[in-house]
């Protein structure tokens, strides 16, 4: 807030419904501390009154088994987006409306079919394409361990894709996705010729697959 706006707020605070002794939070550290305090209070209240387990499920969707920092990061990002708009409350209401299932299951909702399902198909398509290229690189480089490892992994990915294509419950789809495990790049000992080059290329593609997969909702 610039000096002119601050002067206006100080003069007409009663019209805005704020404390006349307000002050501007200019220190980023203090802002984050206040955000943390508010979020911790809200979070503890939600955990304490989570009789149906809905908040626990929400937390699980965006976090891991070690902490709920994933959900906290999402809340903070929503706060940042909302506060740069002219109407933060209206923006938040519009965001929630986008996810309204209209009485349908998540799988049958327009949101899932229009936004999630196409990305899921695209993710599997790119992973399979990368694996085929990785196998070709392994064959050119005479890297038998690489070829076998990623051929087996490609079969596993295809099997999980087939399984997921027959599922109609999001929780089942999510569970099937979690069963996908990526192998580590086999160690290369005493490389000959261009084996080191091919091995490095395979490693880069394997990292791309992992990154793409773990970014999926």
């Amino acid at each position: 807030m610039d000096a002119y706006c601050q002067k206006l707020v100080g003069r007409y605070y009663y019209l805005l419904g704020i404390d006349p002794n307000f002050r501007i939070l200019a220190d980023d550290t203090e802002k984050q501390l206040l955000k943390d305090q508010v979020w911790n209070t809200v979070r503890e209240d939600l955990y304490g009154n989570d009789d149906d387990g809905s908040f626990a499920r929400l937390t699980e969707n965006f976090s891991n088994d070690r902490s709920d920092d994933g959900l906290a990061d999402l809340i903070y990002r929503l706060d940042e987006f909302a506060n740069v708009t002219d109407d933060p409350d209206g923006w938040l209401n519009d965001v929630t409306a986008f996810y309204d299932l209209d009485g349908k299951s998540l799988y049958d909702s327009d949101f899932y079919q229009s936004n999630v399902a196409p990305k899921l198909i695209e993710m599997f398509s790119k992973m399979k394409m990368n694996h085929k290229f990785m196998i070709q690189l392994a064959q050119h480089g005479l890297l038998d361990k690489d070829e076998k490892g990623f051929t087996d992994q490609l079969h596993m990915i295809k099997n999980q894709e087939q399984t997921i294509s027959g599922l109609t419950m999001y929780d089942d789809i999510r569970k099937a996705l979690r069963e996908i495990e990526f192998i580590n790049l086999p160690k290369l000992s005493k490389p000959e010729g261009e084996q080191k080059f091919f091995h490095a290329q395979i490693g880069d593609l394997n990292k791309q697959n992992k990154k793409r997969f773990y970014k999926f909702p």
Side-chain angles (χ1 to χ4, degrees):
M1 181 184 294
D2 59 32
Y4 177 71
C5 291
Q6 188 173 343
K7 184 177 180 180
L8 287 177
V9 172
R11 178 177 296 176
Y12 299 108
Y13 65 89
Y14 56 91
L15 294 176
L16 300 172
I18 64 175
D19 191 313
N21 297 315
F22 77 92
R23 67 187 181 88
I24 305 300
L25 279 177
D27 184 78
D28 290 338
T29 301
E30 186 178 6
K31 288 179 186 178
Q32 190 58 49
L33 285 173
L34 286 173
K35 284 183 180 182
D36 290 342
Q37 289 174 7
V38 172
W39 170 238
N40 287 336
T41 300
V42 172
R43 178 175 54 189
E44 290 304 316
D45 182 61
L46 289 169
Y47 274 129
N49 295 284
D50 191 27
D51 296 332
D52 62 357
S54 58
F55 183 66
R57 291 193 297 273
L58 174 68
T59 302
E60 184 182 357
N61 280 337
F62 296 101
S63 305
N64 55 43
D65 56 359
R66 292 186 294 274
S67 75
D68 56 8
D69 290 346
L71 179 60
D73 291 342
L74 174 64
I75 296 297
Y76 291 153
R77 289 202 303 271
L78 285 171
D79 175 69
E80 291 173 2
F81 278 119
N83 281 308
V84 296
T85 66
D86 295 333
D87 181 12
D89 289 339
W91 183 84
L92 287 171
N93 288 332
D94 289 342
V95 168
T96 56
F98 179 70
Y99 296 96
D100 186 1
L101 302 183
D102 195 25
K104 302 176 182 178
S105 70
L106 179 58
Y107 177 83
D108 292 322
S109 68
D110 294 337
F111 169 75
Y112 183 89
Q113 293 299 329
S114 300
N115 295 277
V116 180
K119 291 180 180 179
L120 185 62
I121 293 170
E122 180 185 16
M123 179 189 71
F124 272 111
S125 176
K126 288 184 176 179
M127 285 202 303
K128 289 187 296 183
M129 181 175 64
N130 272 3
H131 273 76
K132 290 176 182 177
F133 189 36
M134 290 155 69
I135 292 167
Q136 289 177 357
L137 288 171
Q139 291 171 342
H140 285 307
L142 301 177
L143 298 166
D144 296 338
K145 290 183 179 179
D146 291 20
E147 181 182 357
K148 182 182 185 309
F150 291 109
T151 297
D152 292 344
Q153 185 164 275
L154 176 58
H155 289 156
M156 180 271 295
I157 288 172
K158 287 181 176 179
N159 288 337
Q160 286 302 98
E161 181 184 26
Q162 176 99 27
T163 298
I164 289 171
S165 68
L167 299 175
T168 58
M169 297 294 292
Y170 180 70
D171 286 345
D172 293 336
I173 293 172
R174 193 161 169 263
K175 181 180 178 182
L177 285 171
R178 287 185 169 184
E179 291 175 355
I180 295 177
E181 295 182 358
F182 292 91
I183 65 170
N184 293 321
L185 186 67
K187 291 183 179 180
L188 181 62
S189 59
K190 298 180 180 179
E192 299 178 358
E194 293 186 302
Q195 283 186 327
K196 190 173 181 179
F197 169 77
F198 286 117
H199 189 69
Q201 293 293 309
I202 292 170
D204 289 341
L205 288 169
N206 194 40
K207 289 177 182 178
Q208 288 179 25
N209 280 334
K210 290 181 179 180
K211 184 177 181 180
R212 180 177 293 113
F213 179 78
Y214 291 122
K215 283 178 65 176
F216 188 78

